[in-house]
Amino acid sequence: MEKLNVAVFFGGCSPEYSVSLSSASGVILNLDPEKYNVLPVGITQQGTWYYYPGSVEKMLDDTWHSSGDCTPAVLSPNRGENSLLLLERQGISRLHIDVAFPVLHGQNGEDGTLQGLLELSGIPIAGCGTLASALGMDKDRAHRLVSLEGVRVPMHLVMDPDTAAEEMERFAEKIGYPVYVKPVKAGSSYGVTKVSGREQLAPAV
């Protein structure tokens, strides 16, 4: 059986960059080499794309992008080409992608942005597509959508910089402490604060 080329995307412009390095390392180590050729595509925190065929150890200690193992790369948007374009000194070469495996966490990767680029390019995705990724990333919109179908969701208050402290305090007292404060568009464990009393609420927010 011919092996599939799996492009594993990692890193990204997100506060959850380091989590992605860990997750992607696990994916790369566990993809069956008898069935898959892994094409690691790293995105730095500044947004620069590289093809990185180096060691997983350098991903884990975040030296992968300065190791000399990187080749600048971009994804071809041409539908049906399914290629990673390597921007080498001698010219552009292509690596065919059979399936993309996004392992980016948080914004600019898990939120439908990368999925949209892959769908535009016609490259099959392992995981959710653009709409599901975008909705799943936004806790408020996800709660609203599933509640329309009768699914019970936690009571919550979405706050912005203009939300008055008194409004937050009234809501917390209404539902009862402890309450949890977290970003509306971040990973499941990122930035979560357990608030046990009124005096902890404003600092958590």
Side-chain angles (χ1 to χ4, degrees), residues 90-183:
Q90 63 270 29
I92 297 174
S93 61
R94 289 171 167 78
L95 290 175
H96 177 75
I97 299 173
D98 290 303
V99 61
F101 196 148
V103 196
L104 290 91
H105 289 261
Q107 296 173 338
N108 302 307
E110 192 181 357
D111 57 358
T113 49
L114 178 59
Q115 290 79 2
L117 178 57
L118 291 165
E119 288 186 357
L120 179 70
S121 304
I123 298 173
I125 306 169
C128 298
T130 304
L131 180 60
S133 298
L135 286 172
M137 190 71 185
D138 189 310
K139 276 66 177 173
D140 178 45
R141 287 179 171 83
H143 283 172
R144 293 186 191 197
L145 183 64
V146 299
S147 66
L148 291 174
E149 295 299 319
V151 178
R152 294 181 64 190
V153 298
M155 294 179 65
H156 63 282
L157 173 69
V158 179
M159 297 167 288
D160 59 41
D162 297 324
T163 302
E166 294 79 10
E167 183 180 355
M168 293 185 278
E169 291 168 1
R170 282 196 303 269
F171 180 79
E173 289 166 5
K174 176 182 176 181
I175 64 173
Y177 290 99
V179 298
Y180 291 85
V181 176
K182 76 176 309 295

Side-chain angles (χ1 to χ4, degrees), residues 27 54 184:
V27 169
V184 72

Side-chain angles (χ1 to χ4, degrees), residues 11-17 43-48 104-108:
C13 308
S14 165
E16 298 171 71
Y17 168 87
I43 304 172
T44 68
Q45 289 182 290
Q46 292 72 41
T48 305
L104 290 91
H105 289 261
Q107 296 173 338
N108 302 307

